[in-house]
Amino acid sequence: MIFRAFVDDATWRVTLDKAAFTGRTLASVGLALFLAFFFQLQSPASAVTTVMIVANPVVGALVSKSVWRVIGTGLGACLAVGLMAAFPQAPILYFFALALVIGVACVVATFLRLSRAYASVLTGYTIMMITMPSFYDPGGIFISALSRLSAVATGIVVTAAVFMVTTFRRPERLLQQLGAMFRATADHALNFYQTQGRDVGTESAADASPLPTFRNWPQPLYAERDRLLGQLAGLSVSVENAATDNPEIANRLRAFLTGLSGLSGIVAIFHPHWASHPDDAVVAEDVHERMAATLRDVAALSQHPDWLADGTAVRARLHAAIAEFDVLELSRPDVVALIALDNARDVLVQFDHVAEMLSMGEGTSAVYARLQTYREWLPALRNGFRSAIITFLAGLIWYVTRWNTGPMFMLIIVAVVSLLSTTPSAARASPYLAVGLVLSVPAVLLCHLYFLPLIDGFPLLWLTMCLFLLPGVWLQFSPKFGPIAFGYVVFFTILLSVNNPIRYNDIVLLNNWMAVVVAAALLVVVFKVVIPANDRSDAASLISSLVNGVQRLAFETRNQGTIWVRWESLQLQKISRMRMRLAMASPPVKLPEYMDAAYATLSVGRMIVRIRQMLAASPLGGELSRSVGMALASFRGVRSHPEHTAECLRNAADKLLADGQDSPDCARIAACLIQIAHVLDEAPGFFHKHGPIQLSPRMKQADRPLSAPVPVLSTILGIEKTA
């Protein structure tokens, strides 16, 4: 692995990026520590800790995190002074109030995204940093607050200055990445129409045997879909970070995020439920060939890295293809061909919408809205409850044992639980952060015993700290070792106790190290044993939320364009979290089966929106309109009787095809209704409230496939019969 960087260009570039980030971070550490000593700050190590927390290879992310860190530190300082003033002689009440504040801060941090979460995290973390020196001298709380604010401000200003001066920001690279993702999405769609699309419909519905799982795609298509969705999620974060220090991107932030969400929707819409409809192979093949030709042209027109500066050619080709499919729909094809045409046309409309959002030279007439962040209340409340419990327990341990290192013990506990609240799964990340916490102990021991006694000046102090921080900084953004490395560098700077002046006290140092070990053990016990995560239950809640989202959309009559953009973004966030929960669920579940069914809910929602838009553009006759309305109204019972909802949809489609022969809109609406019914028939266990994931793992029906009939359950007797 070491020599691979010298023979592989990609590995060499990654190595250079890591080296540049490490060099900037260590330079920031040295400058922040020097200024903290120069200004005679009470706790110079706080400036170094700040550098470790806010350092980020992306300047925009660093600036954003720095701003929110200042906000969180200021709020935490105010709360620290207020709590100390309210409970100066009542330690139990103080610990209880502190636990409540920490719990609320962790709940809020779970709801927020990116750097905003740090503002909430640091509110609780700063309280302990400020009150720790004042537990035995409450009168010095105000001076401690000012000292903490000074150290944080020093670390933030130094880090921002070093990174901004030494980093060459190129916003055009981000625009090129947006264009490349558009092209990659077009290639993904082209791959579908060239390969899987040609195999659709080789069996009729009567001849096709029911599959035990819906993973009937080749493995490369699944891998490509997951890779693209991951890249799109990462690029959305990069766009938000870049908007922090780039006005041009900030002005187009909402459009860019809407476009990336649209690309994610296009990638997700290709799933086996959508592809495995019993099409006629000959008719579908012509549609797939036309789509493949269009997508090849779109990919060719978007080959230039800077094509987003003027997306006229790409959009013109998409408009021509949409018009071509409109003509084909007016030629009165049968319903099977109309389904293939309607799906293909919708994909082109989505690409056109995304191209308008991303094109810098285009107007912004397309629909976009302020995207919302999905909030998982149950994991957030669980996370806040864990944090409050462990904080209160730490306070009681200190109070009962009268441990003279109690303030450091509580500082470590509060810092760890606060940082864990920003992770996707606090229970899963807690052992890794605990390992990093424990690893900092031998490193600090070695530094104190063999290095610090030999130091007689600041340069040697800085070089020594760089030596010990280097492994953690290098591995901080590693997917495998990142949480461990982050815990190591943060708590190494805290435990090193580089004060002004440095005073060596072996008893205090030993107590601090013992506090680390006890804190790590308490952390794992509370997060993994006392209040563990229930990933299966959390995934079941997300699936219920996905189905509820489809239900709400079926009755939404407002501006469908704006509603759809926000709805699709929320559904994609739910699916992403569902994937993470299911991957960690015990006992294991058939992840591909659930992911395909989840992506099918996006298709169902998109077809509902198309039906609403067609009804708004050209209302049907009274009887036909009532029939469609009753079909959509049947979604009220989709969680209890998905097969009944599918039957209502098919009945409405049959009526439209029989009585609306002169209306092309009737045929298109019927095509959408048939496709929705097909999805419900293929995965009733996903839509039903008694689906496999909703049952206890001990029940014998909990491992059945989603395609199996849904059992009728009794809350007292369990499974009674099969529906």
Side-chain angles (χ1 to χ4, degrees), residues 20-32 51-52 162-163 462 465-470 473:
F21 169 71
T22 303
R24 295 186 183 101
T25 302
L26 296 181
S28 301
V29 167
L31 185 56
V51 173
M52 292 294 98
V162 170
F163 274 76
W462 172 56
M465 293 186 67
C466 289
L467 176 65
F468 283 91
L469 291 173
L470 179 60
V473 175

Side-chain angles (χ1 to χ4, degrees), residues 42 80-81 84-85 87-89 130-145 398 407:
Q42 189 179 35
V81 175
M84 186 65 74
F87 308 104
Q89 301 296 330
I130 291 174
T131 56
M132 186 178 69
S134 305
F135 275 121
Y136 301 110
D137 181 20
I141 184 66
F142 187 71
I143 299 300
S144 177
W398 174 26

Side-chain angles (χ1 to χ4, degrees), residues 395-469:
L396 290 181
I397 291 173
W398 174 26
Y399 181 74
V400 172
T401 61
R402 299 182 181 274
W403 195 2
N404 59 358
T405 316
M408 174 62 74
F409 174 57
M410 289 203 63
L411 170 63
I412 295 172
I413 287 291
V414 172
V416 171
V417 299
S418 298
L419 293 173
L420 282 174
S421 63
T422 62
T423 61
S425 176
R428 184 178 178 84
S430 58
Y432 296 97
L433 202 59
V435 170
L437 178 60
V438 173
L439 286 178
S440 65
V441 173
V444 171
L445 175 63
L446 181 63
C447 187
H448 268 286
L449 291 180
Y450 295 102
F451 286 84
L452 290 186
L454 302 178
I455 292 174
D456 59 357
F458 176 78
L460 285 178
L461 175 63
W462 172 56
L463 291 176
T464 300
M465 293 186 67
C466 289
L467 176 65
F468 283 91
L469 291 173

Side-chain angles (χ1 to χ4, degrees), residues 60 164 169 171 174-175 239-254 256 360:
M164 293 183 73
R169 295 181 296 284
L174 182 61
L175 300 180
V239 169
E240 290 193 63
N241 290 331
T244 304
D245 66 334
N246 190 291
E248 182 182 16
I249 295 177
N251 292 334
R252 297 276 296 171
L253 177 61
R254 289 173 62 186
F256 285 158
M360 296 295 293

Side-chain angles (χ1 to χ4, degrees), residues 211-272:
L211 297 174
T213 176
F214 294 108
R215 192 178 176 87
N216 54 0
W217 271 8
Q219 174 62 29
L221 285 179
Y222 280 96
E224 179 69 9
R225 184 181 69 181
D226 294 340
R227 184 184 65 83
L228 283 177
L229 289 173
Q231 289 180 346
L232 285 165
L235 191 54
S236 297
V237 174
S238 298
V239 169
E240 290 193 63
N241 290 331
T244 304
D245 66 334
N246 190 291
E248 182 182 16
I249 295 177
N251 292 334
R252 297 276 296 171
L253 177 61
R254 289 173 62 186
F256 285 158
L257 293 179
T258 301
L260 289 172
S261 178
L263 288 178
S264 298
I266 294 173
V267 173
I269 203 174
F270 295 106
H271 51 80

